[in-house]
Amino acid sequence: MLTAARLRELLSYNPTTGVFRWRVTRGGRLAGARAGCIDRRNGYVVIRVGKVKYSAHQLAMLHATGEWPTLEIDHKNRRKADNRLCNLRQVSRRLNIINSAKIDRARGYEFHRGRYRRKVHRDGCWTYEYFESEAAAHALYEAMAGPLATHATERATRAIRRA
């Protein structure tokens, strides 16, 4: 596994821009050249070191802290290619999902074709309930989830800001 010392030998990292550059010339890579490319499958920047591909956001945390991240790395602004250190933070899976583009699903409903819908399991089969407004969908979600859901979104937002 790649260590922080080996990473720092091979790559330099600018925390204000989030860009990695090669320190050494190896193969077709010149020293000073920008390292990595965007993975077309998921949109994250990946950097190949040896024969192993690493996510640039994980390498940024390794470079900055000297240790591999133990939690998931969240991009605060949701831009997968923005690896500035001020945009990265270690969070739990739950907080990472809450900050994802599909935040509405975490609240129990989603926007679909101009209306809001909620997936419901009744009598052994799945059906959808549709709502014309987000307020109506959210009111039903709060009623179904009980008092714990009343301020769940606000609590999650505060937790994300603290992280």
Side-chain angles (χ1 to χ4, degrees), residues 121-148:
H121 190 261
R122 273 200 199 112
D123 302 324
C125 57
W126 288 98
T127 60
Y128 289 103
E129 288 181 348
Y130 289 89
F131 305 92
E132 295 303 320
S133 71
E134 183 177 12
H138 188 68
L140 181 65
Y141 166 68
E142 285 184 343
M144 298 297 286
L148 294 176

mmCIF file of all heavy atoms in Angstrom, residues 121-148:
data_model
loop_
_atom_site.group_PDB
_atom_site.id
_atom_site.type_symbol
_atom_site.label_atom_id
_atom_site.label_comp_id
_atom_site.label_asym_id
_atom_site.label_seq_id
_atom_site.Cartn_x
_atom_site.Cartn_y
_atom_site.Cartn_z
ATOM 1 N N HIS A 121 -44.766 0.577 0.306
ATOM 2 C CA HIS A 121 -44.999 -0.867 0.246
ATOM 3 C C HIS A 121 -46.331 -1.177 0.925
ATOM 4 O O HIS A 121 -46.490 -0.970 2.117
ATOM 5 C CB HIS A 121 -43.858 -1.613 0.950
ATOM 6 C CG HIS A 121 -43.907 -3.078 0.720
ATOM 7 N ND1 HIS A 121 -44.443 -3.943 1.633
ATOM 8 C CD2 HIS A 121 -43.496 -3.831 -0.321
ATOM 9 C CE1 HIS A 121 -44.357 -5.170 1.165
ATOM 10 N NE2 HIS A 121 -43.780 -5.129 -0.013
ATOM 11 N N ARG A 122 -47.298 -1.628 0.109
ATOM 12 C CA ARG A 122 -48.636 -1.947 0.621
ATOM 13 C C ARG A 122 -49.097 -3.286 0.073
ATOM 14 O O ARG A 122 -48.998 -3.524 -1.129
ATOM 15 C CB ARG A 122 -49.635 -0.880 0.175
ATOM 16 C CG ARG A 122 -49.714 0.285 1.081
ATOM 17 C CD ARG A 122 -51.038 1.032 0.869
ATOM 18 N NE ARG A 122 -50.842 2.361 1.419
ATOM 19 C CZ ARG A 122 -50.803 3.463 0.698
ATOM 20 N NH1 ARG A 122 -50.996 3.434 -0.593
ATOM 21 N NH2 ARG A 122 -50.588 4.621 1.277
ATOM 22 N N ASP A 123 -49.641 -4.110 0.939
ATOM 23 C CA ASP A 123 -50.229 -5.392 0.531
ATOM 24 C C ASP A 123 -49.296 -6.221 -0.343
ATOM 25 O O ASP A 123 -49.705 -6.803 -1.344
ATOM 26 C CB ASP A 123 -51.562 -5.168 -0.201
ATOM 27 C CG ASP A 123 -52.560 -4.420 0.662
ATOM 28 O OD1 ASP A 123 -52.557 -4.665 1.892
ATOM 29 O OD2 ASP A 123 -53.303 -3.588 0.121
ATOM 30 N N GLY A 124 -48.019 -6.222 -0.001
ATOM 31 C CA GLY A 124 -47.068 -7.075 -0.711
ATOM 32 C C GLY A 124 -46.535 -6.533 -2.022
ATOM 33 O O GLY A 124 -45.827 -7.237 -2.733
ATOM 34 N N CYS A 125 -46.894 -5.305 -2.390
ATOM 35 C CA CYS A 125 -46.354 -4.756 -3.637
ATOM 36 C C CYS A 125 -45.991 -3.279 -3.446
ATOM 37 O O CYS A 125 -46.500 -2.607 -2.552
ATOM 38 C CB CYS A 125 -47.322 -4.940 -4.799
ATOM 39 S SG CYS A 125 -48.923 -4.233 -4.534
ATOM 40 N N TRP A 126 -45.099 -2.812 -4.297
ATOM 41 C CA TRP A 126 -44.619 -1.430 -4.220
ATOM 42 C C TRP A 126 -45.455 -0.537 -5.127
ATOM 43 O O TRP A 126 -45.731 -0.881 -6.271
ATOM 44 C CB TRP A 126 -43.159 -1.342 -4.657
ATOM 45 C CG TRP A 126 -42.222 -1.929 -3.654
ATOM 46 C CD1 TRP A 126 -41.671 -3.179 -3.677
ATOM 47 C CD2 TRP A 126 -41.737 -1.297 -2.475
ATOM 48 N NE1 TRP A 126 -40.874 -3.365 -2.581
ATOM 49 C CE2 TRP A 126 -40.890 -2.228 -1.826
ATOM 50 C CE3 TRP A 126 -41.937 -0.056 -1.890
ATOM 51 C CZ2 TRP A 126 -40.252 -1.944 -0.643
ATOM 52 C CZ3 TRP A 126 -41.296 0.232 -0.703
ATOM 53 C CH2 TRP A 126 -40.462 -0.709 -0.088
ATOM 54 N N THR A 127 -45.867 0.609 -4.605
ATOM 55 C CA THR A 127 -46.581 1.613 -5.396
ATOM 56 C C THR A 127 -45.996 2.985 -5.081
ATOM 57 O O THR A 127 -45.219 3.139 -4.141
ATOM 58 C CB THR A 127 -48.090 1.633 -5.059
ATOM 59 O OG1 THR A 127 -48.244 1.944 -3.680
ATOM 60 C CG2 THR A 127 -48.739 0.301 -5.375
ATOM 61 N N TYR A 128 -46.363 3.980 -5.869
ATOM 62 C CA TYR A 128 -45.915 5.347 -5.650
ATOM 63 C C TYR A 128 -47.081 6.228 -5.251
ATOM 64 O O TYR A 128 -48.189 6.088 -5.782
ATOM 65 C CB TYR A 128 -45.272 5.926 -6.917
ATOM 66 C CG TYR A 128 -43.936 5.332 -7.229
ATOM 67 C CD1 TYR A 128 -43.798 4.377 -8.224
ATOM 68 C CD2 TYR A 128 -42.796 5.742 -6.545
ATOM 69 C CE1 TYR A 128 -42.561 3.832 -8.521
ATOM 70 C CE2 TYR A 128 -41.555 5.210 -6.827
ATOM 71 C CZ TYR A 128 -41.448 4.255 -7.820
ATOM 72 O OH TYR A 128 -40.214 3.725 -8.098
ATOM 73 N N GLU A 129 -46.830 7.125 -4.323
ATOM 74 C CA GLU A 129 -47.783 8.176 -3.994
ATOM 75 C C GLU A 129 -47.209 9.468 -4.560
ATOM 76 O O GLU A 129 -46.032 9.761 -4.354
ATOM 77 C CB GLU A 129 -47.949 8.317 -2.479
ATOM 78 C CG GLU A 129 -48.696 7.180 -1.849
ATOM 79 C CD GLU A 129 -48.852 7.382 -0.349
ATOM 80 O OE1 GLU A 129 -48.205 8.274 0.220
ATOM 81 O OE2 GLU A 129 -49.633 6.627 0.247
ATOM 82 N N TYR A 130 -48.026 10.246 -5.266
ATOM 83 C CA TYR A 130 -47.560 11.476 -5.904
ATOM 84 C C TYR A 130 -48.125 12.705 -5.192
ATOM 85 O O TYR A 130 -49.261 12.680 -4.697
ATOM 86 C CB TYR A 130 -47.975 11.496 -7.380
ATOM 87 C CG TYR A 130 -47.200 10.496 -8.199
ATOM 88 C CD1 TYR A 130 -47.652 9.197 -8.356
ATOM 89 C CD2 TYR A 130 -45.993 10.855 -8.792
ATOM 90 C CE1 TYR A 130 -46.933 8.274 -9.092
ATOM 91 C CE2 TYR A 130 -45.268 9.940 -9.536
ATOM 92 C CZ TYR A 130 -45.743 8.650 -9.680
ATOM 93 O OH TYR A 130 -45.019 7.750 -10.397
ATOM 94 N N PHE A 131 -47.345 13.790 -5.181
ATOM 95 C CA PHE A 131 -47.723 15.044 -4.542
ATOM 96 C C PHE A 131 -47.405 16.190 -5.488
ATOM 97 O O PHE A 131 -46.404 16.156 -6.197
ATOM 98 C CB PHE A 131 -46.951 15.238 -3.235
ATOM 99 C CG PHE A 131 -47.098 14.087 -2.285
ATOM 100 C CD1 PHE A 131 -46.197 13.042 -2.303
ATOM 101 C CD2 PHE A 131 -48.146 14.050 -1.388
ATOM 102 C CE1 PHE A 131 -46.328 11.978 -1.441
ATOM 103 C CE2 PHE A 131 -48.288 12.987 -0.517
ATOM 104 C CZ PHE A 131 -47.374 11.948 -0.537
ATOM 105 N N GLU A 132 -48.239 17.195 -5.489
ATOM 106 C CA GLU A 132 -48.020 18.359 -6.348
ATOM 107 C C GLU A 132 -46.989 19.311 -5.768
ATOM 108 O O GLU A 132 -46.348 20.062 -6.492
ATOM 109 C CB GLU A 132 -49.335 19.096 -6.593
ATOM 110 C CG GLU A 132 -50.348 18.269 -7.368
ATOM 111 C CD GLU A 132 -49.825 17.796 -8.726
ATOM 112 O OE1 GLU A 132 -49.133 18.573 -9.419
ATOM 113 O OE2 GLU A 132 -50.110 16.639 -9.078
ATOM 114 N N SER A 133 -46.813 19.308 -4.445
ATOM 115 C CA SER A 133 -45.865 20.232 -3.833
ATOM 116 C C SER A 133 -44.900 19.489 -2.917
ATOM 117 O O SER A 133 -45.222 18.431 -2.362
ATOM 118 C CB SER A 133 -46.597 21.309 -3.022
ATOM 119 O OG SER A 133 -47.148 20.730 -1.859
ATOM 120 N N GLU A 134 -43.724 20.073 -2.749
ATOM 121 C CA GLU A 134 -42.732 19.500 -1.848
ATOM 122 C C GLU A 134 -43.223 19.568 -0.401
ATOM 123 O O GLU A 134 -42.967 18.662 0.394
ATOM 124 C CB GLU A 134 -41.393 20.230 -1.981
ATOM 125 C CG GLU A 134 -40.302 19.630 -1.118
ATOM 126 C CD GLU A 134 -38.964 20.297 -1.296
ATOM 127 O OE1 GLU A 134 -38.889 21.373 -1.920
ATOM 128 O OE2 GLU A 134 -37.980 19.732 -0.793
ATOM 129 N N ALA A 135 -43.941 20.632 -0.070
ATOM 130 C CA ALA A 135 -44.453 20.792 1.294
ATOM 131 C C ALA A 135 -45.379 19.635 1.659
ATOM 132 O O ALA A 135 -45.324 19.105 2.778
ATOM 133 C CB ALA A 135 -45.180 22.127 1.429
ATOM 134 N N ALA A 136 -46.233 19.216 0.733
ATOM 135 C CA ALA A 136 -47.159 18.116 1.006
ATOM 136 C C ALA A 136 -46.398 16.803 1.186
ATOM 137 O O ALA A 136 -46.685 16.012 2.083
ATOM 138 C CB ALA A 136 -48.168 17.984 -0.125
ATOM 139 N N ALA A 137 -45.384 16.555 0.345
ATOM 140 C CA ALA A 137 -44.583 15.341 0.458
ATOM 141 C C ALA A 137 -43.814 15.330 1.777
ATOM 142 O O ALA A 137 -43.750 14.308 2.461
ATOM 143 C CB ALA A 137 -43.619 15.239 -0.721
ATOM 144 N N HIS A 138 -43.263 16.472 2.143
ATOM 145 C CA HIS A 138 -42.485 16.550 3.376
ATOM 146 C C HIS A 138 -43.385 16.410 4.608
ATOM 147 O O HIS A 138 -43.013 15.766 5.593
ATOM 148 C CB HIS A 138 -41.695 17.851 3.442
ATOM 149 C CG HIS A 138 -40.730 17.891 4.583
ATOM 150 N ND1 HIS A 138 -39.623 17.076 4.627
ATOM 151 C CD2 HIS A 138 -40.712 18.617 5.714
ATOM 152 C CE1 HIS A 138 -38.961 17.310 5.746
ATOM 153 N NE2 HIS A 138 -39.605 18.237 6.420
ATOM 154 N N ALA A 139 -44.594 16.978 4.559
ATOM 155 C CA ALA A 139 -45.527 16.866 5.683
ATOM 156 C C ALA A 139 -45.889 15.406 5.915
ATOM 157 O O ALA A 139 -45.914 14.941 7.071
ATOM 158 C CB ALA A 139 -46.778 17.688 5.413
ATOM 159 N N LEU A 140 -46.123 14.659 4.848
ATOM 160 C CA LEU A 140 -46.441 13.243 5.001
ATOM 161 C C LEU A 140 -45.235 12.485 5.535
ATOM 162 O O LEU A 140 -45.358 11.614 6.391
ATOM 163 C CB LEU A 140 -46.916 12.641 3.692
ATOM 164 C CG LEU A 140 -47.286 11.165 3.801
ATOM 165 C CD1 LEU A 140 -48.494 10.989 4.726
ATOM 166 C CD2 LEU A 140 -47.564 10.563 2.465
ATOM 167 N N TYR A 141 -44.046 12.819 5.048
ATOM 168 C CA TYR A 141 -42.819 12.167 5.534
ATOM 169 C C TYR A 141 -42.671 12.374 7.042
ATOM 170 O O TYR A 141 -42.401 11.440 7.778
ATOM 171 C CB TYR A 141 -41.595 12.704 4.796
ATOM 172 C CG TYR A 141 -40.297 12.327 5.469
ATOM 173 C CD1 TYR A 141 -39.875 11.004 5.492
ATOM 174 C CD2 TYR A 141 -39.509 13.279 6.090
ATOM 175 C CE1 TYR A 141 -38.699 10.644 6.114
ATOM 176 C CE2 TYR A 141 -38.328 12.930 6.717
ATOM 177 C CZ TYR A 141 -37.920 11.608 6.716
ATOM 178 O OH TYR A 141 -36.759 11.261 7.338
ATOM 179 N N GLU A 142 -42.884 13.605 7.512
ATOM 180 C CA GLU A 142 -42.764 13.893 8.947
ATOM 181 C C GLU A 142 -43.808 13.128 9.749
ATOM 182 O O GLU A 142 -43.524 12.605 10.820
ATOM 183 C CB GLU A 142 -42.881 15.387 9.214
ATOM 184 C CG GLU A 142 -41.641 16.162 8.826
ATOM 185 C CD GLU A 142 -41.744 17.634 9.180
ATOM 186 O OE1 GLU A 142 -42.856 18.122 9.425
ATOM 187 O OE2 GLU A 142 -40.694 18.276 9.222
ATOM 188 N N ALA A 143 -45.008 13.048 9.211
ATOM 189 C CA ALA A 143 -46.066 12.329 9.919
ATOM 190 C C ALA A 143 -45.754 10.837 10.003
ATOM 191 O O ALA A 143 -45.988 10.205 11.038
ATOM 192 C CB ALA A 143 -47.401 12.542 9.209
ATOM 193 N N MET A 144 -45.211 10.271 8.940
ATOM 194 C CA MET A 144 -44.896 8.842 8.905
ATOM 195 C C MET A 144 -43.672 8.513 9.754
ATOM 196 O O MET A 144 -43.614 7.485 10.399
ATOM 197 C CB MET A 144 -44.667 8.375 7.471
ATOM 198 C CG MET A 144 -45.874 8.531 6.578
ATOM 199 S SD MET A 144 -47.274 7.535 7.095
ATOM 200 C CE MET A 144 -46.740 5.941 6.605
ATOM 201 N N ALA A 145 -42.656 9.404 9.736
ATOM 202 C CA ALA A 145 -41.405 9.127 10.427
ATOM 203 C C ALA A 145 -41.476 9.461 11.903
ATOM 204 O O ALA A 145 -40.658 9.002 12.683
ATOM 205 C CB ALA A 145 -40.270 9.905 9.769
ATOM 206 N N GLY A 146 -42.421 10.284 12.295
ATOM 207 C CA GLY A 146 -42.581 10.615 13.707
ATOM 208 C C GLY A 146 -41.735 11.802 14.132
ATOM 209 O O GLY A 146 -41.163 12.513 13.305
ATOM 210 N N PRO A 147 -41.643 12.013 15.436
ATOM 211 C CA PRO A 147 -40.976 13.219 15.957
ATOM 212 C C PRO A 147 -39.484 13.271 15.652
ATOM 213 O O PRO A 147 -38.903 14.343 15.619
ATOM 214 C CB PRO A 147 -41.232 13.141 17.458
ATOM 215 C CG PRO A 147 -41.535 11.722 17.740
ATOM 216 C CD PRO A 147 -42.182 11.179 16.499
ATOM 217 N N LEU A 148 -38.842 12.114 15.417
ATOM 218 C CA LEU A 148 -37.406 12.135 15.125
ATOM 219 C C LEU A 148 -37.106 12.807 13.796
ATOM 220 O O LEU A 148 -36.029 13.340 13.591
ATOM 221 C CB LEU A 148 -36.840 10.714 15.108
ATOM 222 C CG LEU A 148 -36.856 9.990 16.446
ATOM 223 C CD1 LEU A 148 -36.359 8.567 16.276
ATOM 224 C CD2 LEU A 148 -36.007 10.735 17.461
#
